[in-house]
């Protein structure tokens, strides 16, 4: 992991991508997994976390699902 943390920013910058650390891929993976509709328990399991609190540090609301749910709620009115 340390080698990847050293080399990944150089490689991604050369490709015109953000110079993220390798560990950032964990956040991306869990966030994308959540976007597929995975439950909190599934996200926790996928990330290998013992608690929901630990998993929550790695997945982030992109807002897309919130907009979709708001649209569905509006259609009900």
């Amino acid at each position: 992991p340390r080698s990847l943390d050293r080399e990944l920013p150089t490689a991604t910058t050369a490709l015109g991508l953000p110079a993220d650390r390798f560990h950032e891929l964990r956040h991306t993976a869990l966030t994308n997994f959540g976007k597929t509709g995975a439950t909190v328990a599934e996200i926790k399991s996928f990330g290998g976390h013992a608690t929901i609190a630990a998993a929550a540090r790695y997945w982030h609301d992109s807002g897309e699902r919130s907009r979709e749910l708001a649209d569905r709620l509006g259609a009900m009115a």
Side-chain angles (χ1 to χ4, degrees):
R2 287 186 207 147
S3 295
L4 287 171
D5 269 344
R6 281 193 306 271
E7 300 301 326
L8 188 65
T10 303
T12 54
T13 301
L15 294 169
L17 300 170
D20 289 333
R21 296 176 304 130
F22 179 73
H23 191 74
E24 299 301 321
L25 296 176
R26 188 170 176 84
H27 291 264
T28 302
L30 290 176
T31 297
N32 286 339
F33 195 59
K35 288 163 101 177
T36 69
T39 66
V40 174
E42 290 167 332
I43 293 169
K44 180 174 91 58
S45 176
F46 183 74
H49 297 106
T51 66
I52 291 172
R57 287 191 288 269
Y58 289 93
W59 97 81
H60 311 282
D61 179 12
S62 65
E64 293 171 24
R65 178 78 170 146
S66 297
R67 285 187 291 279
E68 179 185 330
L69 293 173
D71 289 344
R72 287 183 185 179
L73 186 59
M76 294 172 64

